[in-house]
Amino acid sequence: MKNFLFPYQFKFVGLILFVFGCILSIVYIWFNFQLRMPVFAIYSAFVEKKIFTIFKTNVADELILILLISGLVLLVCTREKNEEQIHEIKRLKAFYRAFFLNSGLLLLSTLFVYGRGFFSVLIFNLISFPVLYLLFFYFYKK
């Protein structure tokens, strides 16, 4: 069967991006890190609605999400050093477990978290699935 995973060397790049994203998120939360620069927006609705415009804003949170998501994608979609046939089964098993656990957490959050807190849950949900997948995969690998 054709394996569509990245080469093993990408795992190191993914780890660096993920760790840097984690460090930057801690600095963002604890020290109110800001990186203000002009951005192009297709749609923005903070104070006023803006469509197809350029404006200056804090892009630190977007940068953090890009680092975390791209790092996790590389970690999840990279071959192991010695990729074997059994790893496909373990990957599939980890995928199902992560999917069901993440979906359950999202359903519970929908029932019990409201307002701005739910927006935080949705952002957390962007990275929770690949993190759960990696945890399950490395648990099954041992």
Side-chain angles (χ1 to χ4, degrees), residues 74-126:
L74 287 175
L75 287 172
V76 166
C77 299
T78 303
R79 288 186 189 99
E80 293 300 304
K81 193 169 192 171
N82 299 316
E83 187 75 23
E84 300 172 8
Q85 188 72 25
I86 193 73
H87 285 127
E88 285 187 35
I89 295 167
K90 292 177 181 178
R91 287 182 193 281
L92 190 60
K93 203 172 178 183
F95 177 84
Y96 282 125
R97 295 278 170 122
F99 176 77
F100 287 123
L101 181 59
N102 195 55
S103 297
L105 291 172
L106 189 57
L107 286 172
L108 287 173
S109 299
T110 303
L111 288 172
F112 299 115
V113 181
Y114 299 94
R116 285 193 179 171
F118 189 70
F119 184 70
S120 298
V121 167
L122 290 178
I123 291 174
F124 173 74
N125 192 262
L126 290 172

Side-chain angles (χ1 to χ4, degrees), residues 40-98:
F40 172 74
I42 295 174
Y43 179 81
S44 176
F46 286 113
V47 177
E48 61 185 73
K49 282 187 184 179
K50 298 177 183 178
I51 300 173
F52 293 106
T53 186
I54 296 176
F55 63 97
K56 199 167 188 175
T57 188
N58 181 17
V59 294
D61 45 357
E62 286 85 2
L63 176 64
I64 290 167
L65 274 175
I66 288 169
L67 289 170
L68 291 173
I69 291 170
S70 59
L72 284 169
V73 164
L74 287 175
L75 287 172
V76 166
C77 299
T78 303
R79 288 186 189 99
E80 293 300 304
K81 193 169 192 171
N82 299 316
E83 187 75 23
E84 300 172 8
Q85 188 72 25
I86 193 73
H87 285 127
E88 285 187 35
I89 295 167
K90 292 177 181 178
R91 287 182 193 281
L92 190 60
K93 203 172 178 183
F95 177 84
Y96 282 125
R97 295 278 170 122

Side-chain angles (χ1 to χ4, degrees), residues 16-35 58-68:
I16 294 293
L17 291 173
F18 180 70
V19 168
F20 189 62
C22 289
I23 292 169
L24 203 56
S25 65
I26 291 168
V27 171
Y28 177 77
I29 292 168
W30 285 352
F31 302 108
N32 195 23
F33 171 69
Q34 292 198 6
L35 181 61
N58 181 17
V59 294
D61 45 357
E62 286 85 2
L63 176 64
I64 290 167
L65 274 175
I66 288 169
L67 289 170
L68 291 173

